[in-house]
Amino acid sequence: MLDQKPNKTEDQHTDLLRQFHLRPTRQRLALADLLFNGPCRHVSAEQLRLETKNKGINMSLATIYNTLNQFTKVGLLHEINLDNNVTYFDTNTDHHHHFFDPKTNKLIDIPRDAISLNALPDAPDGHDVERVDVIIRLS
Amino acid sequence: MLDQKPNKTEDQHTDLLRQFHLRPTRQRLALADLLFNGPCRHVSAEQLRLETKNKGINMSLATIYNTLNQFTKVGLLHEINLDNNVTYFDTNTDHHHHFFDPKTNKLIDIPRDAISLNALPDAPDGHDVERVDVIIRLS
DNA sequence: ATAGCTGCAAATGCTTTGCAAGGCC
DNA sequence: GGCCTTGCAAAGCATTTGCAGCTAT
């Protein structure tokens, strides 16, 4: 009965951050709210700055970068780089693939098993395969 | 008998540039020489600046960028962006794939038919598939 | 209390642009 | 000669860093 929705998700994010040994500060909770509530997202730091600004949350761009990098380091986010030399952060950290529309710089997720990769070549010399990324560029 | 090697490749590059309506200036010929003589390469503007400098060729970094962008526009090069937000230029403009070693930022070509992509999902709404890039990240 | 965060501003690194001077046709 | 190209310096972005002040535990 005391389980009110607004507090519930906030509490969930508090727990989430604690799990990764990140203090649940106001700024981190605000970003977690924007990133991990709705469906999966692909966002840049600048986009998040606008979103926090529109919600009346005061947060410097440096803190947004620092926070996104921390989230990435602990595995809450995944980094993607495209043509325009802007870093995008993917809230879907599962192994999966992407459509990319160069006109809008938008990414669309493709589930991992929607693409079957056969006959992958062996990794060279002393290396192992860490991940395979497929990017289907649209026109 | 008059067909001396040094002049021959230079002439070839002169012709190449003319084909693409680019004037064969000293700087463009120097870059064409570095890029299109040996095996396929993946280079950044900064790498080429060092190489021209070491060869005693005087060339500003801005001109290197401008030239690489022109070469890319006409299809002599292909642009690749990786984690470090540095633009690399690939002298292999055929449809092919890459190993990527994040430690050294080095790329290794994979021939197109060394990877078989089955069951590619359809492109969304009004889009077509322009290209499929596979990046095998090494560790 | 203290270790960790944040904000600001400045610095950094890559890339592009404006403009005067030089080179190709 | 005229237009294209170059060089330099400055500007432009995205991102990181240093440090003083603030906050969570």
Side-chain angles (χ1 to χ4, degrees):
Chain A
M1 313 309 182
L2 293 169
D3 217 2
Q4 294 162 335
K5 268 182 204 138
N7 290 334
K8 194 183 173 203
T9 52
E10 194 179 291
D11 286 354
Q12 285 177 346
H13 292 152
T14 300
D15 292 347
L16 184 71
L17 292 177
R18 277 199 224 279
Q19 280 175 37
F20 290 101
H21 308 100
L22 295 170
R23 286 190 186 169
T25 63
R26 191 166 43 82
Q27 292 85 344
R28 287 177 181 164
L29 286 169
L31 287 184
D33 184 52
L34 288 170
L35 291 168
F36 305 126
N37 269 338
C40 287
R41 309 192 57 190
H42 310 96
V43 280
S44 65
E46 182 58 27
Q47 280 169 41
L48 287 170
R49 195 189 59 81
L50 289 175
E51 291 183 23
T52 49
K53 195 178 172 187
N54 289 340
K55 286 184 74 174
I57 301 163
N58 202 8
M59 219 181 146
S60 80
L61 189 55
T63 297
I64 293 177
Y65 272 106
N66 291 336
T67 303
L68 291 174
N69 286 334
Q70 288 156 355
F71 283 8
T72 301
K73 199 184 295 174
V74 301
L76 283 169
L77 293 175
H78 188 243
E79 211 177 311
I80 306 179
N81 284 78
L82 301 165
D83 292 25
N84 48 197
N85 281 348
V86 174
T87 301
Y88 287 85
F89 295 89
D90 190 343
T91 58
N92 181 357
T93 56
D94 294 346
H95 195 295
H96 66 289
H97 305 296
H98 292 101
F99 286 115
F100 172 57
D101 182 352
K103 289 195 197 75
T104 60
N105 278 335
K106 285 260 181 308
L107 287 163
I108 303 171
D109 277 3
I110 303 173
R112 179 182 194 171
D113 49 4
I115 294 180
S116 78
L117 286 158
N118 299 330
L120 276 191
D122 290 335
D125 21 1
H127 289 102
D128 288 319
V129 171
E130 186 181 306
R131 202 174 69 236
V132 181
D133 285 318
V134 179
I135 298 169
I136 303 183
R137 177 175 297 260
L138 302 171
S139 57
Chain B
M1 311 310 184
L2 292 170
D3 217 2
Q4 295 163 334
K5 268 181 204 139
N7 291 333
K8 195 183 172 200
T9 53
E10 194 180 291
D11 287 353
Q12 283 176 348
H13 293 150
T14 300
D15 292 346
L16 183 70
L17 292 176
R18 276 199 223 280
Q19 279 175 35
F20 290 102
H21 308 99
L22 295 170
R23 284 188 188 170
T25 64
R26 189 167 45 82
Q27 291 85 345
R28 286 176 181 163
L29 285 170
L31 287 184
D33 184 51
L34 288 170
L35 292 168
F36 305 127
N37 268 338
C40 288
R41 307 192 58 189
H42 308 97
V43 280
S44 65
E46 183 57 28
Q47 281 170 40
L48 288 170
R49 194 189 60 80
L50 289 175
E51 292 184 21
T52 49
K53 195 179 172 186
N54 289 339
K55 288 183 72 173
I57 302 162
N58 203 7
M59 217 179 147
S60 79
L61 189 55
T63 298
I64 293 177
Y65 273 106
N66 290 338
T67 304
L68 291 174
N69 286 334
Q70 288 156 354
F71 283 8
T72 301
K73 199 183 296 173
V74 301
L76 284 168
L77 293 174
H78 189 244
E79 211 176 311
I80 305 179
N81 283 78
L82 301 166
D83 292 26
N84 48 196
N85 282 347
V86 174
T87 302
Y88 286 85
F89 295 89
D90 190 343
T91 58
N92 181 356
T93 56
D94 293 346
H95 195 296
H96 66 290
H97 306 297
H98 292 100
F99 286 115
F100 173 56
D101 182 351
K103 289 195 197 75
T104 60
N105 279 334
K106 285 261 181 306
L107 286 164
I108 302 171
D109 277 3
I110 303 173
R112 179 183 193 169
D113 48 5
I115 295 180
S116 78
L117 288 157
N118 300 329
L120 275 191
D122 290 334
D125 20 5
H127 292 284
D128 288 319
V129 172
E130 186 181 306
R131 202 174 69 235
V132 180
D133 286 318
V134 178
I135 298 170
I136 303 183
R137 177 175 298 258
L138 301 172
S139 58

